[in-house]
Amino acid sequence: IGPSSHLKEAGIENKVDLPVGKNLYDHVLFGLVYLASPESEIYEETLHADSVLSLNNLYQYYVYGNGPLAITSVEAIGLVDSEIDKNVSFPNLALLFLGGIAANYSKFGYSTESLKDVFGPEFADPTKRGFTILPTLLNPKSVGELYLNMTHPFDKPVIDPHYLEHPDDLKSLIKGAKIAQELVGASQVFAKGLKFEGANSPYEYGTDEFWEWLIRSTVITIHHPVGTCKMGSVDDTSTVVDPRLRVKGVEGLRVVDASIMPRIISGNTNAPVIMIAEKAADMIKADWNKSN
């Protein structure tokens, strides 16, 4: 089941010709890392890797349920409209606020070496204190795809997300960087004793070229891929499943996960996928009761 031309190239007999693997959307983000010096008012409130798992913090968490271990890595989220697309009237950017520098958050995909390359060695030191703002693109216009690498079922597919291919996506993230800088600059508490710079940038700090360089140097996925088995009308040639999540042209087969979303949502995908599964369970039961 899939695009007939692609399956033919892979030497696989095509049973049902459907655009499986097309329409790939994903959320991406990049990091603005701010270092706090000891004279900063927020210095003691920020985290660094070596201090989080201290005995005192472990005691606070297990005995009182508070302290650094009682919070998520993302402590606050701001939703803003980049105003790049005048036809959109809802937030298309999220600003994620982390209570430490990105060197402490390897799960976001930033390696020590990559941070050194972009920001310089000081910003890649996990013992340093500071915070990170991650402008996140909620409604990307760039559309990717995935396809087979070989015919063996255990070979990894080729995933081509086409990140930042649409110019509006880059413009929105640049606007997100400027909004983040405005927020930090407008706060006397934040601004005092903070340091931010792209140490190795070939472009003048604060220009659009500088922000584009920073974005392209640090942009990563937030692991919210959707859309590759698009749901919609049976007559729509871009869809894979119908509104009841049944694969078109195949009896007794449904797809129930984030891949059925026609477009990516403006937020995390976990709860919506649970909702999709709950709805699918109801539809399966309804169809079963109708046929019996």
Side-chain angles (χ1 to χ4, degrees), residues 33 70 83 184 197 205 207:
V33 184
E83 300 180 343
V184 173
E197 62 183 54
Y205 171 77
T207 62

Short mmCIF file of all heavy atoms in Angstrom, two decimals, residues 33 70 83 184 197 205 207:
data_model
loop_
_atom_site.label_atom_id
_atom_site.label_comp_id
_atom_site.label_asym_id
_atom_site.label_seq_id
_atom_site.Cartn_x
_atom_site.Cartn_y
_atom_site.Cartn_z
N VAL A 33 20.47 31.15 23.98
CA VAL A 33 21.07 30.79 25.26
C VAL A 33 21.60 32.05 25.95
O VAL A 33 22.38 32.79 25.38
CB VAL A 33 22.21 29.77 25.07
CG1 VAL A 33 22.75 29.32 26.43
CG2 VAL A 33 21.74 28.57 24.26
N ALA A 70 11.03 18.80 40.89
CA ALA A 70 9.57 18.78 40.83
C ALA A 70 9.02 19.58 39.65
O ALA A 70 7.81 19.69 39.50
CB ALA A 70 8.98 19.34 42.14
N GLU A 83 2.79 37.38 12.89
CA GLU A 83 2.19 38.35 11.98
C GLU A 83 2.83 38.34 10.60
O GLU A 83 2.72 39.29 9.84
CB GLU A 83 2.24 39.77 12.58
CG GLU A 83 1.50 39.89 13.91
CD GLU A 83 1.56 41.28 14.50
OE1 GLU A 83 2.41 42.07 14.07
OE2 GLU A 83 0.73 41.58 15.37
N VAL A 184 13.50 39.87 27.04
CA VAL A 184 14.65 39.87 27.96
C VAL A 184 15.14 41.29 28.18
O VAL A 184 15.42 41.70 29.31
CB VAL A 184 15.78 38.99 27.40
CG1 VAL A 184 17.04 39.12 28.25
CG2 VAL A 184 15.35 37.54 27.35
N GLU A 197 25.36 36.10 22.88
CA GLU A 197 26.02 36.49 21.64
C GLU A 197 26.24 35.25 20.78
O GLU A 197 26.32 34.13 21.30
CB GLU A 197 27.37 37.16 21.91
CG GLU A 197 28.36 36.28 22.63
CD GLU A 197 29.65 37.00 22.96
OE1 GLU A 197 29.59 38.06 23.60
OE2 GLU A 197 30.70 36.47 22.58
N TYR A 205 25.62 41.11 14.66
CA TYR A 205 24.66 40.72 15.69
C TYR A 205 23.35 41.49 15.55
O TYR A 205 23.32 42.70 15.38
CB TYR A 205 25.25 40.97 17.07
CG TYR A 205 24.26 40.79 18.20
CD1 TYR A 205 23.90 39.52 18.63
CD2 TYR A 205 23.66 41.89 18.81
CE1 TYR A 205 22.98 39.34 19.65
CE2 TYR A 205 22.74 41.72 19.83
CZ TYR A 205 22.40 40.44 20.24
OH TYR A 205 21.49 40.26 21.24
N THR A 207 21.07 41.41 13.17
CA THR A 207 20.51 41.56 11.83
C THR A 207 19.73 40.31 11.44
O THR A 207 19.88 39.24 12.04
CB THR A 207 21.62 41.78 10.80
OG1 THR A 207 22.49 40.62 10.78
CG2 THR A 207 22.45 43.01 11.15
#
